[in-house]
Amino acid sequence: MGSSSSNEAGLRRLTSLRAQNPEVYYSDDDIVTADDATIAELKRIAAGNPRLRSRLCTHADPSSGLHEMLIVHHREAYVRPHKHFGKPESFHLIEGTAQVVIFEDDGRIRDVLEMAPYGHGGLCYYRMPEKVFHSILITSEWLVFHETTAGPFDPSRTAFPDWAPDGGDAAAVQAYVAKTGTLAAEHLAKR
């Protein structure tokens, strides 16, 4: 992977990585670093994955109590609406633009957060409490963000609604994303 740091001689070394699966990587380094080359490598990995995403977990392993991740999504990646139990999350945008859509439990849009990196006029950070359905509509080619949440990883602490497709049917996903994008734009226009 392309992340590097300096040693005493000023030479760069690559961050060590181990694949948890084709989308998820961990580092065995004591101090985990990331740079432009790291992000480029995560984009390369994401482009080769069916779900068009990748992540570098900077915590030691799935059992860690605090999870910090650099996450990369391509514009065509589907982020299924979901909510978490017992684990708030924070999101700091590094590159790209997106709309974070916050839903009522019945699927109606409660709010839309227009996200952009610091200095670009949008929100660059949010902290989401637990039990709030949310999703991401990516409005740039790539979205790169830093996410922090509570561990350990337990899939039963995330719930998905029945009003959004699960991702298995590409046509249903495309229709849902288009509809949600239209509703998000209408919501923003009412402000």
Side-chain angles (χ1 to χ4, degrees):
M1 177 124 186
S3 181
S4 61
S5 61
S6 299
N7 63 20
E8 291 180 28
L11 301 175
R12 296 165 64 95
R13 67 172 180 77
L14 297 178
T15 296
S16 68
L17 295 175
R18 61 184 149 81
Q20 178 79 12
N21 63 51
E23 292 181 11
V24 179
Y25 291 81
Y26 285 84
S27 173
D28 290 321
D29 294 340
D30 289 336
I31 299 174
V32 180
T33 61
D35 61 9
D36 294 351
T38 306
I39 301 302
E41 180 65 7
L42 289 171
K43 288 177 182 177
R44 185 194 67 74
I45 291 168
N49 281 321
R51 295 188 333 143
L52 298 170
R53 62 184 73 198
S54 68
R55 72 181 59 213
L56 169 61
C57 297
T58 63
H59 49 283
D61 59 55
S63 68
S64 297
L66 177 65
H67 286 206
E68 289 194 73
M69 299 152 285
L70 285 176
I71 302 174
V72 172
H73 290 330
H74 184 267
R75 173 184 326 163
E76 300 299 321
Y78 172 54
V79 180
R80 185 178 180 192
H82 61 284
K83 66 181 174 181
H84 306 290
F85 299 101
K87 43 185 283 182
E89 73 178 30
S90 66
F91 174 111
H92 176 208
L93 190 62
I94 296 170
E95 178 187 324
T97 56
Q99 295 174 334
V100 174
V101 182
I102 301 168
F103 299 94
E104 300 290 353
D105 284 344
D106 64 5
R108 288 177 296 122
I109 292 178
R110 178 193 309 177
D111 202 359
V112 179
L113 309 177
E114 292 188 278
M115 307 295 296
Y118 173 76
H120 289 85
L123 301 171
C124 64
Y125 174 86
Y126 74 72
R127 182 179 188 279
M128 183 81 58
E130 64 173 309
K131 300 180 186 175
V132 175
F133 278 117
H134 58 285
S135 181
I136 304 171
L137 298 177
I138 301 164
T139 55
S140 56
E141 182 178 2
W142 291 101
L143 187 68
V144 180
F145 57 99
H146 172 230
E147 184 176 292
T148 304
T149 192
F153 178 70
D154 177 357
S156 71
R157 293 172 72 185
T158 301
F160 300 97
D162 58 7
W163 41 261
D166 66 6
D169 179 341
V173 166
Q174 189 173 33
Y176 176 78
V177 169
K179 176 184 169 189
T180 303
T182 299
L183 293 172
E186 290 171 2
H187 180 87
L188 289 169
K190 291 178 185 176
R191 285 188 179 168

